[in-house]
């Protein structure tokens, strides 16, 4: 791998404010990436739907069931392309999610209980109520295992929609929705790890534990040679996969293991820059040394997140949407879905459950004095945000693939996800748009 030019790391050392700006920029980049990634995800989903409902629909299944196999010693890997996407590429996506969650816990909004309390309570309501609604319609039936589907909020779509409103939406609302979605991701990760896990293998779990211990030990010894972590990370993912725990959990664990605090302070980095500026003769080794210390003033997790986040958002998620959103929309499928408790449970869970759960849990917590709701998020604003949080595309589709082996039930769930997410997006945006338009008109009057 080519070494990054250290001179590029010196451009922000003019002042402490520039350094703070350099370190504090991930939230801005995060929102910008999620907004455009939501568009790519939507395009991929539409392509999948058109492909499956075209004369070439058989090629869709044939493509994703392309076999991929190889052997290493006595071990043989034999899966198809769809498995690689859902259990391999999505593990990278959840690794980035793990990095984002840890950043928020260490230095973001989730670090301060005063700011984290409201979105955390709202996210709890947005998970419990949708799951309860779904189970009320499916308990004891073939679709009961899908209760985790309507619990998810899609960050890319939700943040992307709010970005369309620009400065019409107060900053507090955007931070609230982003933090809520991150807490929601924590809940989804726990649900996948605990409830959507197959039979466990003690031997593979032990091997996974040993590999994780080796990764943690290297981290404590401050070994930062990335190829070593790449090899150990892939081996850890493979061990988790064979253990029966869903392989994406390996990505989350590795994300949580990655250091989220810088190894050097800003003052130390600035001191090295001043040392370099004071030298009469500057050698290439001096520049590399200073570049190393400057990079270490950023957390390792931040550097990896900034490197992988675009890849996960622009490539992995659209590929996943292309592989998961292909549902045949024939007349029989649609008529069966209309009367299906699975489809109805997903739609009502995403639309009604999210709206009621987030709004009511927030209101009750405020009445009890546990949280404070900003004035910019009261009334219809909260209802609109709660409705937008009902867009449960990516993780909802992912959980539906884990919950059902029956293709028909899985397709009914996917139709519910698409219909519920679309309804939540349109109605939620309509509420926020009208509320802001009314508020601006009232101010002018």
């Amino acid at each position: 791998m080519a070494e990054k030019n250290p001179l590029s790391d010196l451009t922000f050392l003019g002042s402490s404010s520039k350094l703070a700006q350099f370190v504090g920029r991930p939230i801005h980049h995060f929102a910008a990436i999620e907004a455009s990634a939501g568009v790519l995800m939507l395009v991929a989903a539409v392509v999948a739907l058109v492909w499956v409902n075209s004369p070439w629909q058989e090629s869709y299944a044939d493509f994703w069931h392309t076999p991929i196999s190889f052997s290493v010693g006595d071990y043989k890997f034999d899966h198809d392309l769809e498995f690689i996407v859902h259990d391999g590429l999505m593990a990278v996506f959840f690794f980035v999610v793990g990095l984002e969650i840890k950043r928020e816990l260490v230095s973001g909004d989730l670090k301060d209980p005063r700011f984290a309390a409201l979105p955390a309570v709202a996210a709890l309501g947005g998970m419990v109520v949708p799951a309860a609604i779904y189970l009320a319609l499916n308990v004891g039936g073939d679709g009961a295992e899908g209760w985790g589907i309507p619990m998810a909020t899609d960050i890319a779509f939700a943040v992307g929609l709010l970005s369309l409103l620009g400065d019409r939406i107060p900053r507090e609302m955007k931070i609230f929705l982003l933090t809520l979605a991150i807490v929601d991701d924590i809940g989804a990760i726990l649900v996948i790890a605990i409830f959507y896990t197959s039979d466990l293998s003690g031997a593979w779990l032990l091997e996974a534990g040993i590999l994780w211990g080796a990764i943690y030990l290297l981290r404590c010894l401050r070994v930062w040679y990335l190829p070593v972590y790449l090899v150990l990370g892939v081996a850890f993912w493979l061990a988790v996969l064979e253990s029966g725990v869903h392989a994406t959990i390996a990505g989350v664990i590795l994300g949580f293991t990655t250091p989220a605090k810088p190894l050097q302070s800003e003052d130390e980095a600035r001191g090295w820059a001043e040392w370099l500026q004071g030298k009469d003769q500057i050698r290439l080794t001096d520049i590399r040394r200073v570049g190393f210390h400057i990079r270490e003033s950023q957390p390792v997790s931040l550097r990896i997140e900034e490197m992988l986040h675009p890849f996960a958002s622009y490539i992995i998620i659209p590929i996943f949407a292309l592989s998961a959103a292909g549902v045949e929309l024939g007349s029989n499928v649609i008529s069966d879905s209309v009367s299906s408790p699975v489809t109805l449970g997903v739609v009502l869970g995403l639309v009604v459950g999210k709206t009621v759960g987030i709004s009511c849990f927030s209101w009750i917590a405020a009445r009890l004095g546990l949280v404070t709701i900003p004035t910019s998020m009261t009334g219809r604003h909260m209802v609109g945000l709660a409705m937008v949080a009902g867009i449960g595309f990516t993780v909802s589709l992912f959980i539906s693939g884990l919950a059902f082996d029956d293709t028909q039930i899985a397709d009914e769930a996917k139709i519910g996800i698409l219909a519920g997410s679309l309804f939540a997006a349109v109605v939620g945006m309509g509420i926020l748009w009208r509320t802001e338009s009314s508020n601006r008109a009232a101010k002018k009057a």
Side-chain angles (χ1 to χ4, degrees):
M1 179 182 296
E3 186 178 9
K4 180 180 176 183
N5 184 359
L7 286 173
S8 62
D9 289 318
L10 298 176
T11 57
F12 65 92
L13 285 170
S15 66
S16 59
S17 61
K18 289 185 179 180
L19 181 60
Q21 181 181 5
F22 182 84
V23 175
R25 66 185 179 181
I27 291 180
H28 172 75
H29 285 182
F30 181 93
I33 290 174
E34 294 301 317
S36 51
V39 176
L40 287 178
M41 190 193 315
L42 179 61
V43 171
V46 171
V47 170
L49 288 171
V50 172
W51 189 354
V52 169
N53 293 278
S54 71
W56 303 280
Q57 61 180 238
E58 291 185 2
S59 65
Y60 180 85
D62 292 341
F63 176 74
W64 292 114
H65 292 154
T66 301
I68 297 176
S69 62
F70 60 86
S71 298
V72 178
D74 295 333
Y75 176 78
K76 183 176 182 180
F77 183 91
D78 189 10
H79 295 283
D80 58 18
L81 186 58
E82 183 180 54
F83 178 90
I84 297 297
V85 173
H86 288 216
D87 290 62
L89 291 182
M90 287 301 287
V92 178
F93 166 76
F94 277 98
F95 172 62
V96 176
V97 170
L99 292 174
E100 293 165 355
I101 292 173
K102 185 167 184 179
R103 168 167 54 80
E104 290 296 320
L105 290 171
V106 172
S107 58
D109 292 327
L110 295 181
K111 178 182 179 181
D112 191 335
R114 295 175 302 168
F115 293 103
L118 176 59
V121 169
L124 178 63
M127 290 185 282
V128 171
V129 177
I133 290 176
Y134 182 92
L135 280 175
L137 294 171
N138 289 276
V139 64
D142 295 335
E145 291 296 320
W147 57 269
I149 296 172
M151 296 174 63
T153 294
D154 193 291
I155 297 180
F157 270 143
V159 174
L161 279 178
L162 283 192
S163 69
L164 297 177
L165 296 177
D167 59 1
R168 298 174 66 92
I169 295 296
R171 180 175 177 272
E172 293 87 350
M173 294 173 61
K174 297 178 182 178
I175 294 177
F176 170 81
L177 183 62
L178 180 60
T179 309
L180 181 150
I182 290 174
V183 176
D184 198 288
D185 279 342
I186 297 175
I189 289 165
L190 292 175
V191 167
I192 293 170
I194 298 172
F195 298 101
Y196 294 103
T197 293
S198 58
D199 296 334
L200 298 178
S201 168
W204 281 106
L205 277 176
L206 177 61
E207 184 169 338
I210 293 173
L211 287 167
W212 181 84
I215 293 171
Y216 187 78
L217 178 62
L218 289 174
R219 192 198 105 164
C220 293
L221 295 174
R222 295 194 174 188
V223 176
W224 301 128
Y225 188 55
L226 288 181
V228 172
Y229 288 99
L230 180 61
V231 172
L232 289 175
V234 171
F236 176 70
W237 168 82
L238 192 60
V240 172
L241 169 67
E242 297 296 339
S243 72
V245 178
H246 198 272
T248 53
I249 301 303
V252 177
I253 294 174
L254 291 175
F256 283 163
T257 306
T258 307
K261 291 185 177 180
L263 300 179
Q264 292 197 345
S265 67
E266 296 179 10
D267 290 337
E268 289 175 312
R270 194 175 298 109
W272 278 101
E274 292 172 354
W275 170 82
L276 182 64
Q277 293 173 348
K279 289 180 67 68
D280 295 331
Q281 292 184 338
I282 299 178
R283 297 174 299 176
L284 181 59
T285 55
D286 296 330
I287 297 176
R288 287 176 175 173
R289 180 186 300 177
V290 173
F292 169 79
H293 288 285
I294 292 171
R295 284 193 298 273
E296 294 309 313
S297 67
Q298 305 172 71
V300 175
S301 61
L302 174 59
R303 300 204 301 268
I304 297 177
E305 181 186 336
E306 288 190 334
M307 178 178 63
L308 289 182
H309 190 194
F311 174 72
S313 298
Y314 294 146
I315 298 178
I316 293 179
I317 293 304
I319 291 176
F320 170 75
L322 185 63
S323 71
V327 181
E328 187 177 349
L329 300 177
S331 57
N332 292 335
V333 175
I334 295 178
S335 61
D336 290 343
S337 298
V338 170
S339 58
S340 167
V342 172
T343 305
L344 187 60
V346 172
V347 172
L348 291 180
L350 290 174
V351 176
V352 178
K354 283 286 186 181
T355 305
V356 173
I358 291 173
S359 301
C360 289
F361 270 55
S362 299
W363 181 79
I364 293 172
R367 294 282 291 183
L368 294 176
L370 301 176
V371 301
T372 300
I373 302 177
T375 55
S376 61
M377 289 170 45
T378 56
R380 287 185 293 175
H381 270 141
M382 178 62 75
V383 173
L385 279 176
M387 183 73 74
V388 170
I391 304 172
F393 194 78
T394 305
V395 180
S396 292
L397 286 174
F398 187 76
I399 294 178
S400 70
L402 300 178
F404 304 124
D405 294 326
D406 189 306
T407 303
Q408 180 179 346
I409 299 178
D411 285 348
E412 292 173 357
K414 290 178 181 179
I415 291 175
I417 294 168
L418 296 174
S421 297
L422 178 61
F423 186 88
V426 173
V427 176
M429 287 289 286
I431 293 173
L432 292 175
W433 181 274
R434 290 199 61 181
T435 301
E436 280 303 305
S437 297
S438 300
N439 288 347
R440 293 196 173 196
K443 290 179 180 179
K444 289 181 180 180

